[in-house]
Amino acid sequence: MDFDFSPGEKAFFTQLSTELAAVATSDDDGEADLSALAARLRGDLARLAATPYLRLAAEGQTAELGAAALVAATELLADRSPSLCLAVESSVRLLGRALAAFGADRQKARWLAPLVEGRAIGAIAIPPPTLGAAAAPPAVRAEVDGDSVVVTGEASLVVNAPLADLLGVVGLVGDRAAIVLVERGARGLAIGERLTTSAYGGAAIAGLALDRCRVAAEAVVPGPDGVDLVAVLRRWESLAAAGASLGLMKTCLDGARRHARTQTAGPGGKPLVKHQEISFKLAEMLTLYQTSRLLAFRASWLEGTRSGEAGPVIDCAKVFCTESAEQVASAALQVLSTAGLVTPNPVERAFRCAKHGQTLGTSTEAARMQIGDDVLARWG
Amino acid sequence: MEFAFTEEQLAFKNQVLRFARTELAPRAREHDLKEAFDLEGFRKLGEFGILGLHFPEELGGSGADVVTTVVAGEALGEAGVDGGLTLAYGAHTFLCADTIFRNGTPAQRERYIPKLASGEWIGCMGLTEPDAGSDVASMKTTATKRDDRWVLNGSKIFITNGPIADVAVVYAKTRPDLGHAGISAFVVEKGTRGFTTGQPLIKMGVRSSATSELFFDDCEIPEENLIGAEGMGFQMAMQTVEWDRSALLAPFVGSGTYMLRRCAAYASQRVQFGGPIARFPAIKRKLANIMIFTEAARPLVYRIAWCKDQGRPLNHLEAAVAKLFVGDWSLGPTNDAVVLHGGYGYIHEYEMERIFRDSRLAPIGGGTSDIQKTIIARLM
């Protein structure tokens, strides 16, 4: 048991923070057009590639950096720019990690290396989970045709879709779940219009459609035997959401604290932080933040050890961290009072993003059902 | 950062679980119902070695580290041991015996620790007064030097083990003019002239724990019964916070797992509307909420324990966060456990209502939640 990060991990956080300081955050408020977004994202990926972050995200942990360090790094990223965090996690942590974990050597050489080196933008479309009901028909199907695969289907709300060099679409190939890799511009691939969203305005999100899109058979990454590919991807996604929630909470806590220390209220101009209603809110916020951190770190560590306990604890982290983020963000806006109404404002931006953490990927409803099912399987 | 227990700790936990399930848990209901202290169970804790776990072997202990001590506490809760008994153990070992061990003279250690470690003697700690709870520095009990004796006058209230204790660590003002710095600590033995206890207080929960007032009416004790130096009493009391935020909270965490097992078993067997209620999302949601709380609370408690094992000074902020979270956030899950059982949740025999009542002490005892928020806000 060790609750400290190693000196190497701390040095990594320092390096990452230095790189992130150069990341622009104004585009997070949804004003950039696609070409500007693409240029920005490519620049940021190159910046992150100068640190171990992308490799860590793709591998889950390295010899020097543990799984908990990945969560802490995601927190730093989300604190700086929630949209960049969403984009990078989708590209490298989900698609990149799937390639790293399940891809053949040739696939890794061709497609993983550019992602991890920050030279390519990835996107991944994962089917939505069902709430304990019988599996819905797959949205994406692929049929083997000689040495190629013909893919048909749709996916909605795919992060990075309008910008991606490489899209990974999860569907059934024959009767087996797999990730089909489709390169930008492939015939039969259509990317929808970039969606206008209430949060993560600095990310490009759209739907996609595949109409008998033909790709080489070597572009299929099958899930290994005995592994529920979609469940694994969802776990990684949940951990990413938990880490991002920590960053949003940090943004809100920092903003609320700063405001409470510098603004005054009441007779004699007492600083806000001296008013018990405000100080107690800050205390509750910090409690949720610290509790979330440890839970997310432990969940990530369990995942890294391939523990059978990991699945339900990851679900717990997803629920707790994303719901705490909403509560912390709401409390922060309360502390900011009318200052929170004025945009752009990192706390207000975090508030909008925080809510959606509960519905992106595995929703908190679905996660609770999964936890309940696990508890019943163990002790029912 | 990693969260693994050693093989020895895991093996020890299983031993404690087996012992507690067989020897202690079956006694819980009866003692709670009768509001009777489980002396036999307490002695069994002593025989098993739990009461003196962290004391050195030469003083009758096992030399265990803090994390192992917390493992034992969690295991007791997980086994379903009555909250009154675990509270009695906590007050005895960590608030009374440990204070003597850490601050006492060799003669004091020799006289008291072996008997406390074995459970032959029962210890209590008198700090709180009728008019001095959160504001402990306003205590009125005094200790006046008269020749080679100290003379105590005053009273204490809400003292766990008060009616049954053989030994009391009592805090009193040797310098009433100095606030915190005027508080000193003393050992007072049962039967000392001028020292009496009140009637057991009837409580909402932890009913098998005997609680009372302590009265000092010109109570004379030898001068060598001063623990440590004059004026160091408040610091000693604050040292107990480390244990209070780890070992004393551990049974609450363990009881989360106990509730899960009981709730899962009940939900799987209880048939309504043609099938087990476990199939309903509303039930799974409750199970999930209990698990989320338990998983979130656990690392907070172990962090305190681990830091203490590293020899670090107490991080008061982290300690307050742990206490606040367990105290305030336990209300929902314990309520869920009651409601999940329907009418049976209201019935004593099914234990959930006892756990709910017992858990209501968590936001109060050892420093209220509002005090924790005050500490957190000040240290943020």
Side-chain angles (χ1 to χ4, degrees), chain A residues 192-211:
Chain A
E193 287 292 313
R194 180 190 176 199
L195 298 168
T196 303
T197 56
S198 62
Y200 297 103
I205 303 174
L208 61 84
L210 296 150
D211 183 10

PDB file of all heavy atoms in Angstrom, chain A residues 192-211:
ATOM      1  N   GLY A 192     -21.245  13.121 -40.253  1.00  0.00           N
ATOM      2  CA  GLY A 192     -22.329  14.098 -40.155  1.00  0.00           C
ATOM      3  C   GLY A 192     -21.807  15.488 -39.857  1.00  0.00           C
ATOM      4  O   GLY A 192     -20.610  15.701 -39.650  1.00  0.00           O
ATOM      5  N   GLU A 193     -22.727  16.426 -39.829  1.00  0.00           N
ATOM      6  CA  GLU A 193     -22.386  17.799 -39.478  1.00  0.00           C
ATOM      7  C   GLU A 193     -21.929  17.854 -38.022  1.00  0.00           C
ATOM      8  O   GLU A 193     -22.468  17.134 -37.166  1.00  0.00           O
ATOM      9  CB  GLU A 193     -23.618  18.696 -39.610  1.00  0.00           C
ATOM     10  CG  GLU A 193     -24.033  18.981 -41.051  1.00  0.00           C
ATOM     11  CD  GLU A 193     -23.005  19.843 -41.747  1.00  0.00           C
ATOM     12  OE1 GLU A 193     -22.570  20.853 -41.164  1.00  0.00           O
ATOM     13  OE2 GLU A 193     -22.630  19.483 -42.883  1.00  0.00           O
ATOM     14  N   ARG A 194     -20.966  18.690 -37.785  1.00  0.00           N
ATOM     15  CA  ARG A 194     -20.509  18.870 -36.394  1.00  0.00           C
ATOM     16  C   ARG A 194     -21.685  19.364 -35.558  1.00  0.00           C
ATOM     17  O   ARG A 194     -22.385  20.300 -35.936  1.00  0.00           O
ATOM     18  CB  ARG A 194     -19.379  19.880 -36.338  1.00  0.00           C
ATOM     19  CG  ARG A 194     -18.861  20.097 -34.909  1.00  0.00           C
ATOM     20  CD  ARG A 194     -17.915  21.252 -34.830  1.00  0.00           C
ATOM     21  NE  ARG A 194     -17.508  21.497 -33.458  1.00  0.00           N
ATOM     22  CZ  ARG A 194     -16.983  22.629 -33.022  1.00  0.00           C
ATOM     23  NH1 ARG A 194     -16.779  23.623 -33.877  1.00  0.00           N
ATOM     24  NH2 ARG A 194     -16.649  22.782 -31.758  1.00  0.00           N
ATOM     25  N   LEU A 195     -21.899  18.722 -34.420  1.00  0.00           N
ATOM     26  CA  LEU A 195     -23.021  19.066 -33.558  1.00  0.00           C
ATOM     27  C   LEU A 195     -22.689  20.288 -32.704  1.00  0.00           C
ATOM     28  O   LEU A 195     -21.558  20.460 -32.259  1.00  0.00           O
ATOM     29  CB  LEU A 195     -23.353  17.885 -32.637  1.00  0.00           C
ATOM     30  CG  LEU A 195     -23.798  16.600 -33.351  1.00  0.00           C
ATOM     31  CD1 LEU A 195     -23.812  15.431 -32.372  1.00  0.00           C
ATOM     32  CD2 LEU A 195     -25.174  16.789 -33.960  1.00  0.00           C
ATOM     33  N   THR A 196     -23.706  21.099 -32.521  1.00  0.00           N
ATOM     34  CA  THR A 196     -23.578  22.191 -31.551  1.00  0.00           C
ATOM     35  C   THR A 196     -23.989  21.634 -30.197  1.00  0.00           C
ATOM     36  O   THR A 196     -25.098  21.114 -30.047  1.00  0.00           O
ATOM     37  CB  THR A 196     -24.525  23.353 -31.924  1.00  0.00           C
ATOM     38  OG1 THR A 196     -24.218  23.784 -33.250  1.00  0.00           O
ATOM     39  CG2 THR A 196     -24.353  24.507 -30.947  1.00  0.00           C
ATOM     40  N   THR A 197     -23.093  21.703 -29.247  1.00  0.00           N
ATOM     41  CA  THR A 197     -23.357  21.067 -27.954  1.00  0.00           C
ATOM     42  C   THR A 197     -23.359  22.106 -26.839  1.00  0.00           C
ATOM     43  O   THR A 197     -22.781  23.189 -26.956  1.00  0.00           O
ATOM     44  CB  THR A 197     -22.286  20.005 -27.646  1.00  0.00           C
ATOM     45  OG1 THR A 197     -20.994  20.619 -27.705  1.00  0.00           O
ATOM     46  CG2 THR A 197     -22.342  18.863 -28.645  1.00  0.00           C
ATOM     47  N   SER A 198     -23.994  21.746 -25.735  1.00  0.00           N
ATOM     48  CA  SER A 198     -24.089  22.682 -24.610  1.00  0.00           C
ATOM     49  C   SER A 198     -22.824  22.672 -23.760  1.00  0.00           C
ATOM     50  O   SER A 198     -22.645  23.528 -22.887  1.00  0.00           O
ATOM     51  CB  SER A 198     -25.291  22.319 -23.735  1.00  0.00           C
ATOM     52  OG  SER A 198     -25.111  21.012 -23.206  1.00  0.00           O
ATOM     53  N   ALA A 199     -21.962  21.694 -24.014  1.00  0.00           N
ATOM     54  CA  ALA A 199     -20.704  21.609 -23.266  1.00  0.00           C
ATOM     55  C   ALA A 199     -19.640  21.042 -24.200  1.00  0.00           C
ATOM     56  O   ALA A 199     -19.942  20.554 -25.276  1.00  0.00           O
ATOM     57  CB  ALA A 199     -20.865  20.714 -22.038  1.00  0.00           C
ATOM     58  N   TYR A 200     -18.410  21.103 -23.759  1.00  0.00           N
ATOM     59  CA  TYR A 200     -17.293  20.606 -24.568  1.00  0.00           C
ATOM     60  C   TYR A 200     -17.289  21.274 -25.936  1.00  0.00           C
ATOM     61  O   TYR A 200     -17.112  20.634 -26.979  1.00  0.00           O
ATOM     62  CB  TYR A 200     -17.345  19.078 -24.714  1.00  0.00           C
ATOM     63  CG  TYR A 200     -17.201  18.361 -23.388  1.00  0.00           C
ATOM     64  CD1 TYR A 200     -18.312  17.820 -22.749  1.00  0.00           C
ATOM     65  CD2 TYR A 200     -15.957  18.266 -22.779  1.00  0.00           C
ATOM     66  CE1 TYR A 200     -18.176  17.200 -21.514  1.00  0.00           C
ATOM     67  CE2 TYR A 200     -15.820  17.645 -21.543  1.00  0.00           C
ATOM     68  CZ  TYR A 200     -16.925  17.118 -20.924  1.00  0.00           C
ATOM     69  OH  TYR A 200     -16.793  16.502 -19.713  1.00  0.00           O
ATOM     70  N   GLY A 201     -17.494  22.595 -25.913  1.00  0.00           N
ATOM     71  CA  GLY A 201     -17.587  23.324 -27.172  1.00  0.00           C
ATOM     72  C   GLY A 201     -16.302  23.322 -27.974  1.00  0.00           C
ATOM     73  O   GLY A 201     -16.325  23.628 -29.166  1.00  0.00           O
ATOM     74  N   GLY A 202     -15.195  22.992 -27.353  1.00  0.00           N
ATOM     75  CA  GLY A 202     -13.929  22.950 -28.063  1.00  0.00           C
ATOM     76  C   GLY A 202     -13.638  21.606 -28.679  1.00  0.00           C
ATOM     77  O   GLY A 202     -12.555  21.392 -29.219  1.00  0.00           O
ATOM     78  N   ALA A 203     -14.574  20.675 -28.592  1.00  0.00           N
ATOM     79  CA  ALA A 203     -14.391  19.362 -29.218  1.00  0.00           C
ATOM     80  C   ALA A 203     -15.315  19.271 -30.424  1.00  0.00           C
ATOM     81  O   ALA A 203     -16.333  19.957 -30.500  1.00  0.00           O
ATOM     82  CB  ALA A 203     -14.728  18.253 -28.227  1.00  0.00           C
ATOM     83  N   ALA A 204     -14.942  18.438 -31.377  1.00  0.00           N
ATOM     84  CA  ALA A 204     -15.759  18.230 -32.574  1.00  0.00           C
ATOM     85  C   ALA A 204     -16.473  16.902 -32.440  1.00  0.00           C
ATOM     86  O   ALA A 204     -15.832  15.853 -32.367  1.00  0.00           O
ATOM     87  CB  ALA A 204     -14.883  18.237 -33.816  1.00  0.00           C
ATOM     88  N   ILE A 205     -17.788  16.959 -32.410  1.00  0.00           N
ATOM     89  CA  ILE A 205     -18.589  15.747 -32.180  1.00  0.00           C
ATOM     90  C   ILE A 205     -19.619  15.645 -33.298  1.00  0.00           C
ATOM     91  O   ILE A 205     -20.276  16.645 -33.638  1.00  0.00           O
ATOM     92  CB  ILE A 205     -19.303  15.816 -30.814  1.00  0.00           C
ATOM     93  CG1 ILE A 205     -18.291  16.008 -29.683  1.00  0.00           C
ATOM     94  CG2 ILE A 205     -20.144  14.561 -30.582  1.00  0.00           C
ATOM     95  CD1 ILE A 205     -18.903  16.240 -28.310  1.00  0.00           C
ATOM     96  N   ALA A 206     -19.734  14.470 -33.861  1.00  0.00           N
ATOM     97  CA  ALA A 206     -20.707  14.267 -34.939  1.00  0.00           C
ATOM     98  C   ALA A 206     -21.072  12.800 -35.012  1.00  0.00           C
ATOM     99  O   ALA A 206     -20.420  11.946 -34.419  1.00  0.00           O
ATOM    100  CB  ALA A 206     -20.127  14.727 -36.283  1.00  0.00           C
ATOM    101  N   GLY A 207     -22.107  12.528 -35.806  1.00  0.00           N
ATOM    102  CA  GLY A 207     -22.451  11.145 -36.075  1.00  0.00           C
ATOM    103  C   GLY A 207     -21.703  10.681 -37.316  1.00  0.00           C
ATOM    104  O   GLY A 207     -21.014  11.458 -37.984  1.00  0.00           O
ATOM    105  N   LEU A 208     -21.787   9.393 -37.573  1.00  0.00           N
ATOM    106  CA  LEU A 208     -21.187   8.873 -38.792  1.00  0.00           C
ATOM    107  C   LEU A 208     -22.053   7.740 -39.334  1.00  0.00           C
ATOM    108  O   LEU A 208     -22.818   7.112 -38.599  1.00  0.00           O
ATOM    109  CB  LEU A 208     -19.745   8.394 -38.559  1.00  0.00           C
ATOM    110  CG  LEU A 208     -19.484   7.269 -37.557  1.00  0.00           C
ATOM    111  CD1 LEU A 208     -19.671   5.883 -38.187  1.00  0.00           C
ATOM    112  CD2 LEU A 208     -18.060   7.376 -37.021  1.00  0.00           C
ATOM    113  N   ALA A 209     -21.913   7.539 -40.637  1.00  0.00           N
ATOM    114  CA  ALA A 209     -22.652   6.446 -41.271  1.00  0.00           C
ATOM    115  C   ALA A 209     -21.707   5.688 -42.193  1.00  0.00           C
ATOM    116  O   ALA A 209     -20.822   6.280 -42.820  1.00  0.00           O
ATOM    117  CB  ALA A 209     -23.833   6.995 -42.062  1.00  0.00           C
ATOM    118  N   LEU A 210     -21.878   4.396 -42.201  1.00  0.00           N
ATOM    119  CA  LEU A 210     -21.081   3.529 -43.073  1.00  0.00           C
ATOM    120  C   LEU A 210     -22.045   2.790 -43.994  1.00  0.00           C
ATOM    121  O   LEU A 210     -22.931   2.069 -43.539  1.00  0.00           O
ATOM    122  CB  LEU A 210     -20.282   2.521 -42.229  1.00  0.00           C
ATOM    123  CG  LEU A 210     -19.246   3.156 -41.306  1.00  0.00           C
ATOM    124  CD1 LEU A 210     -19.043   2.329 -40.055  1.00  0.00           C
ATOM    125  CD2 LEU A 210     -17.929   3.325 -42.046  1.00  0.00           C
ATOM    126  N   ASP A 211     -21.871   3.014 -45.289  1.00  0.00           N
ATOM    127  CA  ASP A 211     -22.760   2.404 -46.272  1.00  0.00           C
ATOM    128  C   ASP A 211     -21.920   1.489 -47.163  1.00  0.00           C
ATOM    129  O   ASP A 211     -21.288   1.930 -48.133  1.00  0.00           O
ATOM    130  CB  ASP A 211     -23.449   3.493 -47.093  1.00  0.00           C
ATOM    131  CG  ASP A 211     -24.446   2.915 -48.092  1.00  0.00           C
ATOM    132  OD1 ASP A 211     -24.751   1.698 -48.015  1.00  0.00           O
ATOM    133  OD2 ASP A 211     -24.919   3.673 -48.961  1.00  0.00           O
TER     134      ASP A 211
END
